[in-house]
Amino acid sequence: AWAICAGVKTVENRSKNTPYRGQIAILASSKRTNVNAMARASRRPKLDPDFLTSSAIIGVATLVDVVEMN
């Protein structure tokens, strides 16, 4: 969720298609392990995991297309 809101990630992989296009809320995971892993993998040195909010809507994005995976 944080990578999408920061513009680092522009594609979200999902197993199901949706006919919906338009604004969507970006929800940060409630699992702190995901937040901690992202902080460790970040290119920013010493990123504090507590800086990243969890279990909340952190942004809005626009769903413009869905590409089916093979």
Side-chain angles (χ1 to χ4, degrees):
W2 282 98
I4 290 171
C5 289
V8 175
K9 182 178 179 186
T10 60
V11 174
E12 174 69 11
N13 297 315
R14 296 288 168 164
S15 60
K16 291 186 177 183
N17 191 356
T18 178
Y20 178 79
R21 300 295 180 271
Q23 299 258 308
I24 57 173
I26 305 298
L27 177 66
S29 174
S30 62
K31 297 180 182 178
R32 292 299 303 176
T33 54
N34 292 347
V35 173
N36 293 337
M38 182 178 172
R40 282 192 301 274
S42 172
R43 293 182 183 171
R44 301 182 92 178
K46 299 180 183 176
L47 178 61
D48 183 357
D50 290 331
F51 173 76
L52 303 175
T53 301
S54 62
S55 193
I57 294 172
I58 60 168
V60 177
T62 304
L63 177 62
V64 296
D65 195 13
V66 175
V67 178
E68 289 190 39
M69 296 174 56
N70 292 332

